[in-house]
Amino acid sequence: ENGRLWMAALDKGLYWREGGAWNRWQGEAGGLGIASNAARQPDGRAAILFRNAPPLQGRPPFDAIHKARFAVGEIEGLLPGREALYVSGGQGLARLRGGAIAGLDAERYPWLASVNGLVQTPAGDTWTIGDAGVVRMRSADLDQALDRPGAPLPRRVFDFRDGLNSFVQKSPGQQIAAGGDGRIWILT
C-alpha cells in the first residue's frame, strides 16, 4: 500500500520498505502479536498475519489478520484472489472482502482444508492447491457457496489418480500462479 513493501519477520518484528530504506513498525506493544506472513489484497492494502491477536495502537496502515477472526483453525495461508483475500486453515477457507468475512467449513467442503495456494483466472476459474491436491472450480460457484454456506460447490480435484505424484509445499508464499498465456503453474 502506498508504495510500501511489508515483511513479516516473526519475532524480529514487522518491517516495511519505503524510499530505499527498511523501517520497523513500532505499533506493536510488547511484541505479543508476532507477524508471520504478509499478502497484498486486491485493493492494494496489505494484510499482515499475526500469530496472536496483536495489541496494535491506533489504526495501522494494514489489515491485521489473526485466527480469532476466522473460523478456519490455525491460519496456514493468506491467498490473494481477484476481488478478495482468502484465508486458509485446516478447518476451512474464509473470504475477506470489503471488511466482511464469509467462510466454508472443511467438514462440508473437505477439499478446502489446508489450501496453500490459490489463483483466480480472467476466464472465471479458481484453482487451489492443498492437502486434497489441485482443485479447479468456477469463481462464481465459490462466491455463491461463500455467500450461502451449504450451497453445492462443483469442483474437479486432481490428485494421485491423475498423475500428481507429489504433495503441496508447506512453506509460506504463493504455491500456484497463472502465466500470461493462461497456463497454471503449481509448486509441488
Side-chain angles (χ1 to χ4, degrees), residues 46-71:
I48 309 295
L49 174 61
F50 290 88
R51 289 200 173 157
N52 299 308
L56 300 173
Q57 301 160 350
R59 180 155 164 34
F62 53 81
D63 286 332
I65 307 292
H66 53 91
K67 68 181 178 181
R69 290 179 61 199
F70 300 88

Side-chain angles (χ1 to χ4, degrees), residues 73-179:
E74 289 296 325
I75 295 176
E76 297 176 23
L78 297 181
L79 311 166
R82 292 178 68 82
E83 298 177 3
L85 177 73
Y86 295 88
V87 178
S88 168
Q91 296 174 9
L93 184 74
R95 177 188 67 199
L96 175 61
R97 182 172 63 191
I101 298 170
L104 295 173
D105 188 307
E107 191 168 312
R108 170 130 172 99
Y109 307 95
W111 61 94
L112 294 178
S114 297
V115 171
N116 290 83
L118 178 143
V119 67
Q120 294 182 312
T121 69
D125 289 320
T126 295
W127 290 82
T128 64
I129 184 168
D131 288 353
V134 175
V135 179
R136 178 184 183 189
M137 62 198 112
R138 299 290 302 156
S139 299
D141 292 341
L142 177 60
D143 275 336
Q144 183 178 11
L146 282 158
D147 292 338
R148 289 188 8 228
L153 180 51
R155 77 277 177 201
R156 169 69 164 93
V157 178
F158 299 89
D159 58 19
F160 67 93
R161 293 170 287 214
D162 301 292
L164 184 64
N165 60 3
S166 182
F167 297 100
V168 64
Q169 299 293 306
K170 291 295 185 178
S171 58
Q174 186 65 319
Q175 308 290 310
I176 189 169

Side-chain angles (χ1 to χ4, degrees), residues 24-45:
R24 184 160 197 228
W25 176 254
Q26 299 298 326
E28 301 174 63
L32 298 175
I34 295 174
S36 62
N37 201 349
R40 184 174 185 265
Q41 298 180 78
D43 66 1
R45 189 167 168 82

